[in-house]
Amino acid sequence: MLEDRTTAGSPLTAWPTAYPQGYAVVDVETTGLARDDRIVSAAVYRLDARGEVEDHWYTLVNPERDPGPVWIHGLTSEVLRDAPLFADVAEEFAARLDGRVLVAHNAVFDWQMIAREYARAEREAPVRQRLCTIALAKELALPLPNHKLESLAAHFGVVQRRAHHALDDARVLAEAFRPSLRAAAEGGVRLPLHECRPLTEWADRPAPRIGQQAGGPGGYGGYRASSWRPARKRPACPYPNPGRYEAGKRLKQGMRVAFSGDTSVERELLEDRATEAGLHVATSLSRLTSLLVTNDPDSGTSKVVKARQYGTPVVDEAAFGQLLGDVEPASEG
């Protein structure tokens, strides 16, 4: 049970006005890590501005597909068969998130899974900012052996009861987040907040058959990546690379484009559009990259860092969308 540890003699007399007024500490368990994977359970602890718990909520979710790594989350097809669909819990989930900063351990993953589920349900998650507790631990320079949740929990003396159970993981994170938040406030540490852009388009692929789950020799049963996570190969770009994009000019067929971070349009749809326009979609960034598309140029990802080093032009998703509407044909001959 989380307790109110606020004391009258606390040296922190005024909470920084720049800090958010509420947080939603979230954990989701999923069928896997890919864009096609689904949420099988979700939990939210709502906290006030000082990190004190207001309430908590938990639900199972029927993923309408194979539950994936049962040996991790423990949720079989039988357990999930009568659970509500995500569309059935979307409104209540949204009420728990509305107006709050989404807090999670490796928050970009939880946010992307949640955003995709809402896109499938043709709705929008009411989340505008997220905070990753891994990033916060780094900002606070906590002496952790690694950045796993169990290490963060151990540092603050929080006892895990059921690892990989969404409700308990969210509880553990909420307990560890509160002293982290207070340490940041007392030390004047800027919270590593990032903008959340909801998905505006979604295209599902065929789902794997329900019922293939762990249970065979070695515990893997029918859960084989090659059987339910289709590989995707793009055709080679037929045009030579004309060089770097120049601000104010048109994109040209053959240019190498890389993407980094969250996008409001689902990433693979953007990549499909780029390919159809005659651009080369690059999975990494090099000196040959013509353009980097990112909504967060200050994120510090490896692609953003390399773009700075190489002087690679950077545009955001909205600008890239406009550029895609008028791509210059490749030079003949």
Side-chain angles (χ1 to χ4, degrees), residues 7 14 20 82 89 168 212 226 229 239 241 267 269 274 294:
T7 59
D82 296 324
V89 301
D168 196 58
Q212 296 178 346
S226 61
R229 191 175 291 169
Y239 310 111
N241 185 355
R267 171 73 69 82
L269 288 176
T294 179

Side-chain angles (χ1 to χ4, degrees), residues 13 28 95 125 144 180 254 299:
T13 56
V28 297
L144 305 178
S180 298
S299 64

Side-chain angles (χ1 to χ4, degrees), residues 125-198:
V127 179
R128 295 297 171 262
Q129 288 183 306
R130 68 176 185 271
L131 187 156
C132 179
T133 47
I134 296 175
L136 181 56
K138 291 179 180 178
E139 290 286 339
L140 294 172
L142 299 181
L144 305 178
N146 54 55
H147 289 98
K148 294 180 179 179
L149 178 58
E150 53 261 40
S151 297
L152 183 66
H155 177 78
F156 289 111
V158 181
V159 178
Q160 284 187 296
R161 302 189 186 108
R162 296 181 64 186
H164 301 297
H165 184 284
L167 184 60
D168 196 58
D169 279 356
R171 174 193 63 81
V172 167
L173 191 58
E175 287 209 43
F177 177 62
R178 177 167 51 194
S180 298
L181 183 63
R182 292 188 67 83
E186 290 172 346
V189 174
R190 170 186 167 275
L191 294 181
L193 300 175
H194 288 277
E195 182 183 6
C196 288
R197 293 174 177 246

Side-chain angles (χ1 to χ4, degrees), residues 50-198:
R50 290 174 175 262
E52 303 301 334
V53 175
E54 297 175 340
D55 57 30
H56 65 266
W57 172 81
Y58 170 75
T59 185
L60 295 176
V61 180
N62 184 340
E64 301 180 276
R65 52 154 292 169
D66 186 283
V70 175
W71 61 93
I72 295 177
H73 54 60
L75 300 174
T76 64
S77 294
E78 288 72 23
V79 170
L80 298 171
R81 181 172 294 122
D82 296 324
L85 302 179
F86 186 86
D88 298 329
V89 301
E91 184 174 352
E92 188 170 3
F93 198 179
R96 304 278 169 174
L97 302 173
D98 194 18
R100 296 170 186 265
V101 172
L102 184 150
V103 177
H105 206 63
N106 189 13
V108 68
F109 172 77
D110 292 77
W111 163 244
Q112 286 177 345
M113 294 302 299
I114 291 167
R116 288 167 184 161
E117 289 288 7
Y118 273 95
R120 288 185 185 98
E122 299 182 347
R123 299 185 56 162
E124 186 176 303
V127 179
R128 295 297 171 262
Q129 288 183 306
R130 68 176 185 271
L131 187 156
C132 179
T133 47
I134 296 175
L136 181 56
K138 291 179 180 178
E139 290 286 339
L140 294 172
L142 299 181
L144 305 178
N146 54 55
H147 289 98
K148 294 180 179 179
L149 178 58
E150 53 261 40
S151 297
L152 183 66
H155 177 78
F156 289 111
V158 181
V159 178
Q160 284 187 296
R161 302 189 186 108
R162 296 181 64 186
H164 301 297
H165 184 284
L167 184 60
D168 196 58
D169 279 356
R171 174 193 63 81
V172 167
L173 191 58
E175 287 209 43
F177 177 62
R178 177 167 51 194
S180 298
L181 183 63
R182 292 188 67 83
E186 290 172 346
V189 174
R190 170 186 167 275
L191 294 181
L193 300 175
H194 288 277
E195 182 183 6
C196 288
R197 293 174 177 246

Side-chain angles (χ1 to χ4, degrees), residues 241 243-244 254-257 285-291 310 312:
N241 185 355
R244 288 184 173 173
M255 283 186 170
R256 296 176 66 94
V257 179
L285 195 138
S286 72
R287 297 182 188 278
L288 298 177
T289 305
S290 307
L291 182 70
Y310 299 151
T312 305

